[in-house]
């Protein structure tokens, strides 16, 4: 990425990192992904159970799972990528006003944003407020069907250093048949000697109370991860060394919202990234920019329109 190179940040993992999808041969999602990769001309490889064992001997195969390797997979370090982007914005004359909570948005021409520090005015406003999007938009007459989840981000120590590391070209891993939702793993590298293994679901949470104790127990999700690590990543310790938390902002169909406000067309909304938006940030930014300056979007945005939610009638607008 040119803006990352210009900033001098190393935002990618320290070597080639493929993506391995792990599932049963008859899994329909695995077949759909394979068909999509073929149709789009993306380099990939199907691995039988025996081929999987030979290629990745430190991955446990317990039920005859097969593998699908996406050769274009990789790792981006989010903190470094964001820092590189912020540096690029400043180099291009932009201003970052960090540490200011948005308390009110007043629609109109210009749109007015009031924060805890000051007020800002703009001809066009792009709102990408993550888990706070719903509360910010509610006073503007729109109730988006967004659900905020607290996700446990777990790091597991390698028994043998670098056995699951980026430096050894160990792949990113996506388990399709191991739980009601996906389980994913990122090779060690972010924290030395620790592999990130997470469950792609969580419990509802107030975004302002992410780190507070809740009535909903995280234990079942952690137990699913313990079983996954035991069965498929046997060279990791059986208990996580570090457990952090992040938040997903989900839509009912898990697709993004990329659209203008139905009433105020100078307010653009990017929301509901459902735990899989970060890697698509450059193209999402391009789309939101096009919407904000009234250019025809480069892509068909039908799947991302607010109007797709049938329950969002006039009473909500």
């Amino acid at each position: 990425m040119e803006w990352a190179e210009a900033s001098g940040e190393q935002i990618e993992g320290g070597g080639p990192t493929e993506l391995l999808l792990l599932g049963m041969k008859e899994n329909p999602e695995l077949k759909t992904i394979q068909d999509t990769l073929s149709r789009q001309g993306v380099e990939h490889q199907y691995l039988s159970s025996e081929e999987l064992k030979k290629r990745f001997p430190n991955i446990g195969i317990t039920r005859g799972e097969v593998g699908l390797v996406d050769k274009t997979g990789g790792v981006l370090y989010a903190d470094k990528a964001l820092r590189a982007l912020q540096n690029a914005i400043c180099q291009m004359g932009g201003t970052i006003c960090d540490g200011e909570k948005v308390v009110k948005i007043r629609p109109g021409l210009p749109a007015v944003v009031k924060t805890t520090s000051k007020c800002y005015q703009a001809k066009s406003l792009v709102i990408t407020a993550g888990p706070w999007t719903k509360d910010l938009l509610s006073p503007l007459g729109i109730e988006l069907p967004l659900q905020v989840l607290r996700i446990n981000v777990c790091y597991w120590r390698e028994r043998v250093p670098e056995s699951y590391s980026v430096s050894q070209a160990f792949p990113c891993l996506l388990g399709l048949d191991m739980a009601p939702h996906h389980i994913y793993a990122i090779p060690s590298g972010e924290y030395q000697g620790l592999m990130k293994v997470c469950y792609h679901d969580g419990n509802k949470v107030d975004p302002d109370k992410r780190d507070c104790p809740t009535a909903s127990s995280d234990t079942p999700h952690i137990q699913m991860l313990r079983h996954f690590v035991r069965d498929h990543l046997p060279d990791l310790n059986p208990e996580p060394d570090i457990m952090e938390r992040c938040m997903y902002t989900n839509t009912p169909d898990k697709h993004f919202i990329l659209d203008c406000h139905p009433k105020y067309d100078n307010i653009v909304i990017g929301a509901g990234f459902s735990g899989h938006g970060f890697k698509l940030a450059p193209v999402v930014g391009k789309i939101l920019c096009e919407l904000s300056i009234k250019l025809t979007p480069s892509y068909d945005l039908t799947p991302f329109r607010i109007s797709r939610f049938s329950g969002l009638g006039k009473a909500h607008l």
Side-chain angles (χ1 to χ4, degrees):
M1 298 179 184
E2 292 181 2
W3 50 267
E5 293 175 358
S7 72
E9 288 281 357
Q10 178 62 44
I11 68 171
E12 297 178 282
T17 308
E18 300 170 330
L19 169 64
L20 171 64
L21 293 98
L22 191 66
M24 302 305 293
K25 184 177 181 179
E26 61 275 12
N27 183 287
E29 186 177 9
L30 187 68
K31 294 179 180 179
T32 298
I33 293 171
Q34 186 174 11
D35 290 344
T36 300
L37 293 175
S38 297
R39 188 169 60 252
Q40 298 298 325
V42 177
E43 186 181 1
H44 63 284
Q45 181 182 10
Y46 175 86
L47 299 175
S48 67
S49 295
E50 289 303 314
E51 291 169 329
L52 191 57
K53 291 176 184 177
K54 292 179 182 178
R55 176 83 176 273
F56 303 108
N58 53 350
I59 293 180
I61 306 300
T62 59
R63 299 179 297 144
E65 294 91 345
V66 299
L68 182 65
V69 179
D70 176 354
K71 302 280 190 174
T72 67
V75 175
L76 286 177
Y77 294 132
D79 56 342
K80 293 181 179 180
L82 289 174
R83 189 160 58 244
L85 180 59
Q86 290 173 339
N87 289 340
I89 290 171
C90 293
Q91 290 170 9
M92 295 177 184
T95 302
I96 297 172
C97 303
D98 210 352
E100 296 184 28
K101 181 179 179 179
V102 175
V103 295
K104 186 177 182 180
I105 296 172
R106 190 173 73 226
L109 283 173
V112 178
V113 177
K114 182 180 180 182
T115 75
T116 49
S117 297
K118 60 187 297 187
C119 286
Y120 301 89
Q121 297 184 0
K123 293 180 180 178
S124 296
L125 173 65
V126 177
I127 299 175
T128 52
W132 292 274
T133 301
K134 185 173 182 177
D135 289 343
L136 278 176
L137 287 174
S138 183
L140 304 185
I142 182 169
E143 296 286 344
L144 294 179
L146 298 174
Q147 182 184 68
V148 180
L149 301 180
R150 182 173 71 174
I151 307 298
N152 295 302
V153 183
C154 299
Y155 294 85
W156 312 69
R157 185 165 299 280
E158 297 166 311
R159 297 177 192 267
V160 178
E162 298 198 346
S163 54
Y164 293 111
S165 72
V166 171
S167 64
Q168 298 299 313
F170 191 82
C172 301
L173 189 62
L174 188 65
L176 303 181
D177 289 299
M178 291 65 182
H181 298 272
H182 294 159
I183 291 175
Y184 71 91
I186 307 295
S188 63
E190 184 177 5
Y191 293 136
Q192 186 68 34
L194 297 176
M195 186 178 191
K196 182 177 179 178
V197 184
C198 303
Y199 186 51
H200 197 54
D201 194 42
N203 294 315
K204 295 180 183 178
V205 70
D206 178 336
D208 289 320
K209 299 178 181 178
R210 184 192 70 174
D211 297 318
C212 297
T214 64
S216 301
S217 172
D218 295 327
T219 303
H221 297 162
I222 303 300
Q223 190 62 25
M224 290 180 195
L225 295 178
R226 289 192 184 101
H227 290 161
F228 180 84
V229 167
R230 178 198 65 197
D231 293 343
H232 300 289
L233 299 168
D235 291 338
L236 295 178
N237 285 344
E239 294 290 331
D241 264 36
I242 298 174
M243 189 165 69
E244 301 174 340
R245 292 190 173 98
C246 72
M247 291 185 286
Y248 286 1
T249 309
N250 287 0
T251 61
D253 59 10
K254 305 301 189 294
H255 293 319
F256 309 163
I257 295 172
L258 305 172
D259 205 353
C260 294
H261 189 290
K263 185 176 180 181
Y264 310 108
D265 66 357
N266 66 326
I267 295 179
V268 179
I269 302 165
F273 294 102
S274 305
H276 58 106
F278 181 80
K279 59 184 173 288
L280 297 172
V283 70
V284 166
K286 177 182 178 180
I287 290 169
L288 296 177
C289 176
E290 290 171 342
L291 291 174
S292 72
I293 57 178
K294 302 296 186 290
L295 289 180
T296 301
S298 300
Y299 305 91
D300 178 13
L301 298 185
T302 302
F304 310 110
R305 296 292 187 191
I306 294 171
S307 57
R308 74 183 188 271
F309 301 116
S310 59
L312 205 62
K314 291 183 178 179
H316 293 81
L317 303 177

